[in-house]
Amino acid sequence: MRNVPSQHARAGFSLLEVLVAVVLLATGLLALAALQGSLARSSAEAKTRSRIAALMAAEMDNVRSTIPYANVVTAPPVTANNPDCTAPANDVERAACEAGVGSLTLTRTVTRYGANSGGTTFVSGAAPAGSQTAEFKDVVVTAQWTDAANNPHT
């Protein structure tokens, strides 16, 4: 007579099945841990870019609202290198502190355009003296900064 194990004795998992399940679970957990680190870095970079974009928008609002048109000119760059975050001297230093960057430079460049002598197109430079043709200024605000890892960004 053969000795056949009962149904109850055959229930359960083999050692190989448990080992495969543990390896799959460990691989998934490692992938989640790597994703978490990547998300943290991306979140910090997004915070930095958001704060610097807000600084640039504030500069454009300042140009639009407080500076007379005739005085809208190219400004010298404003730089914050390792700013004193206990008492920031200006908006650029405050933004550098809030964004957590080591160096931040804000530059405003203004290009003046005026109608050509025939009044048919705009060219770089002022409209001819005494003319009644249209004129406008193109204002470009740029920011350059270095992050905590000393990588340059624009």
Side-chain angles (χ1 to χ4, degrees):
M1 189 164 171
R2 285 188 328 167
N3 190 5
V4 179
S6 68
Q7 185 69 12
H8 182 66
R10 286 186 279 166
F13 298 102
S14 71
L15 185 58
L16 184 58
E17 290 171 326
V18 171
L19 185 60
V20 168
V22 167
V23 167
L24 289 174
L25 180 65
T27 302
L29 290 175
L30 285 173
L32 283 175
L35 177 64
Q36 180 68 22
S38 175
L39 288 174
R41 281 189 301 278
S42 296
S43 175
E45 184 176 335
K47 175 186 171 192
T48 299
R49 288 182 182 275
S50 174
R51 182 58 188 104
I52 292 172
L55 171 70
M56 294 169 66
E59 175 67 16
M60 289 301 292
D61 287 342
N62 182 39
V63 169
R64 281 188 207 108
S65 63
T66 62
I67 302 175
Y69 180 79
N71 295 344
V72 176
V73 295
T74 298
V78 179
T79 302
N81 287 318
N82 299 317
D84 175 17
C85 294
T86 58
N90 54 41
D91 290 339
V92 175
E93 284 191 7
R94 186 173 298 106
C97 290
E98 291 173 0
V101 297
S103 171
L104 173 61
T105 301
L106 185 73
T107 305
R108 181 178 73 211
T109 306
V110 178
T111 305
R112 191 172 183 180
Y113 290 92
N116 63 359
S117 58
T120 58
T121 186
F122 287 100
V123 293
S124 181
S131 72
Q132 298 298 317
T133 58
E135 176 179 294
F136 70 94
K137 295 180 180 180
D138 180 35
V139 180
V140 178
V141 176
T142 58
Q144 297 174 331
W145 71 95
T146 56
D147 60 15
N150 210 23
N151 296 322
H153 297 275
T154 299

